Every structure is written in structure tokens, then in C-alpha cells.
Amino acid sequence: MASAGAGEGKKTAAGSSLHSKTLLKSQPLYQYILESTVFPREPDCLRELRLATATHPMAAMAASPDEVQLLGLLIEMLGAKNAVEVGVFTGYSLLATALALPDDGKIVAIDVTRESYDQIGSPVMKKAGVAHKIDFRVGLALPVLDQMVDEEGNWGGFDFAFVDADKVNFLSYHERLLRLVRVGGLIAYDNTLWGGSVAASADDEPLSERDRALAAATREFNAAIAADRRVQVCQLAIADGLTLCRRVA
Ligand SMILES: C[S@@+](CC[C@H](N)C(=O)[O-])C[C@H]1O[C@@H](n2cnc3c(N)ncnc32)[C@H](O)[C@@H]1O
């Protein structure tokens, strides 16, 4: 790959590459998008964390560079101050969110483990001067969100949420987040096209049992969201599928 530097567009130890982070069928076109519009505007700290994350055996879990660029733009357009993230891993999307929030902004970041974050993400957050915005809560997302719903003053107290954890619980997260995110605020759900498997046909290569189950859960989620009049919805084919839900009621 060209100008963008080591680790970009190349296979990692885990066999993942940036090309696994898009549903676009044309790798050159995805590379063009990254090189023309994403990498030239990528903050140094985000690039540092992206490259450090690429060395992790589970690197494929991280959000894509074009996707986090979009999240940053949406957060700034919203004028968001308070955010929630479900599913942190090394903190790549978390850093993009933190950078888009004002200096007195806050993000509640939820993950069952903070091992990868402590090892890889946390030093970059400190260097980037955004660590003070992050309130990391370790635990299963559902009880943590329930606790947040129970906390006084949290209803409608958040402007933005990004959900990128266990897909089978997305609908349960949605119900909690509709309490926490204000009317006019945005909830973004990742992986809502699950590698295109949601539309797999009998002629396609057979899916693994896990992918079949996740495709079914994702289709169920997408149908429920499409029918949910409490949100204005938009399905984007960026990354692995990103569903935007703007709370309207
Ligand atoms: C896809 S990764 C998140 C990637 C991250 N948003 C990024 O851009 O780098 C999913 C994360 O969700 C966490 N996770 C999975 N199930 C969870 C659950 N039930 N509650 C909280 N975290 C969970 C995993 O530990 C993992 O770190």
C-alpha cells in the first residue's frame, strides 16, 4: 500500500486487514477513500492507536477509520457533551468520540474487560489529553446500563451512544439507551449488516453456525428498529453496517 504507512492495508498477525473493515466490494476503491479523505485528516493520536491496535490478535474487532471519522463528524454536528460507548476493546472508537467532545465532555465507556484498553489505548488517551473525559465502567453492559438508568438525572442526560459489543443484546441495549439519550440525540449501532450475511441466499457459501445465529439476531434487530417509531432511522453500508437512530420520542 502507498503513502499511509506501516500496517495500513497490510495483513496483521491475525490475518485481518483494513480491507476486512468494509462491505465495499472494491478494495482499491476503499483504499482510495482512506487515502484521499480519511488518513489525511486523521489526528496523530488516532493514527497511533489504530496502528497499535492492528498488532493485537483481535484487531478485526476495532471500528474502521472511515467509520470513526463519521462518528466524530456526527458528534460535533450534534454538539454532544455526554456520550456512552458499549464495547471499548483498545479504545479506538472511544478516542475518536473523546476527541469530538468538548473539553468538559464525558463518556461512559462500558466493557466486560479493560485489559486491551489498559495495555494499548489508555497511554494514548493520556498523551492525547482526553483521559479526563472517560468514565470506564467494567462489567456486562446490560446491568451497567440498568444501573445508569436508575441513577438520578441520567434520563435524557446523554447526547450520543455508540454500541459495538455483543450483537444478540442490541435490542435490550436499545431500550435502556432510549431512556438515557435525549430526544434529538443519536444512537449508532455497529455491525448491523454482519458482513452482508443478513442477506445471504441459498446460493452463497454456507455460513458457520455462529454467523447464522448472528445474522438471524441482526435481521431481528434491523426489523425491530425499522418498526420503532421512537427513532428516525438510517442504515449505512459503511464498515460492517452502521445503523443511526435519532431519538424522536
Ligand atoms: C467489537 S469490540 C469493540 C471495538 C471498539 N468499539 C473499537 O472501535 O475498537 C467489542 C467489545 O465488546 C466487549 N463486550 C462483549 N460483550 C459484552 C457485554 N455483554 N458487555 C460489555 N462488553 C462486552 C468485548 O470485551 C469487546 O472489547
Side-chain angles (χ1 to χ4, degrees):
M1 200 195 97
S3 58
E8 287 163 316
K10 296 184 180 136
K11 292 266 182 202
T12 66
S16 81
S17 80
L18 285 170
H19 299 134
S20 70
K21 295 182 178 296
T22 182
L23 289 165
L24 274 183
K25 295 292 177 217
S26 163
Q27 292 194 2
L29 180 56
Y30 185 51
Q31 203 62 41
Y32 170 78
I33 292 169
L34 294 176
E35 291 183 10
S36 65
T37 314
V38 180
F39 293 152
R41 303 294 289 264
E42 185 180 40
D44 288 347
C45 56
L46 206 51
R47 172 183 159 85
E48 182 184 343
L49 183 50
R50 176 168 59 78
L51 296 180
T53 299
T55 66
H56 191 290
M58 304 291 283
M61 290 211 299
S64 71
D66 47 333
E67 181 180 24
V68 304
Q69 185 184 54
L70 172 66
L71 296 181
L73 184 147
L74 293 170
I75 291 163
E76 292 201 32
M77 276 174 65
L78 272 172
K81 197 166 166 187
N82 293 306
V84 184
E85 176 160 306
V86 182
V88 176
F89 184 39
T90 67
Y92 180 58
S93 53
L94 182 63
L95 177 57
T97 302
L99 290 169
L101 293 175
D103 197 52
D104 60 347
K106 287 271 176 270
I107 316 165
V108 176
I110 307 168
D111 203 297
V112 270
T113 168
R114 52 180 295 158
E115 197 183 326
S116 303
Y117 177 74
D118 284 345
Q119 274 173 9
I120 298 176
S122 178
V124 186
M125 302 283 172
K126 286 185 188 132
K127 209 162 94 181
V130 297
H132 65 284
K133 301 182 193 176
I134 295 162
D135 172 4
F136 202 120
R137 303 198 188 176
V138 179
L140 288 170
L142 208 50
V144 174
L145 288 170
D146 277 338
Q147 194 184 8
M148 288 170 68
V149 168
D150 287 344
E151 280 168 29
E152 187 144 355
N154 270 349
W155 284 37
F158 294 84
D159 310 290
F160 176 79
F162 180 52
V163 183
D164 188 15
D166 51 330
K167 319 302 160 200
V168 289
N169 280 318
F170 272 20
L171 276 177
S172 304
Y173 300 153
H174 186 61
E175 288 308 316
R176 276 72 180 173
L177 289 168
L178 281 177
R179 301 251 172 97
L180 296 170
V181 172
R182 66 171 166 84
V183 172
L186 195 68
I187 311 169
Y189 293 97
D190 202 14
N191 306 105
T192 53
L193 296 174
W194 198 248
S197 64
V198 285
S201 74
D203 298 336
D204 292 327
E205 211 177 292
L207 297 172
S208 68
E209 205 172 306
R210 176 176 178 266
D211 281 337
R212 236 190 350 264
L214 284 167
T218 305
R219 275 195 298 268
E220 187 191 341
F221 172 78
N222 291 339
I225 291 296
D228 188 342
R229 297 293 161 196
R230 297 169 297 177
V231 291
Q232 183 182 4
V233 67
C234 182
Q235 168 78 71
L236 299 176
I238 193 171
D240 190 28
L242 181 72
T243 298
L244 301 180
C245 295
R246 176 173 169 264
R247 187 178 164 202
V248 292

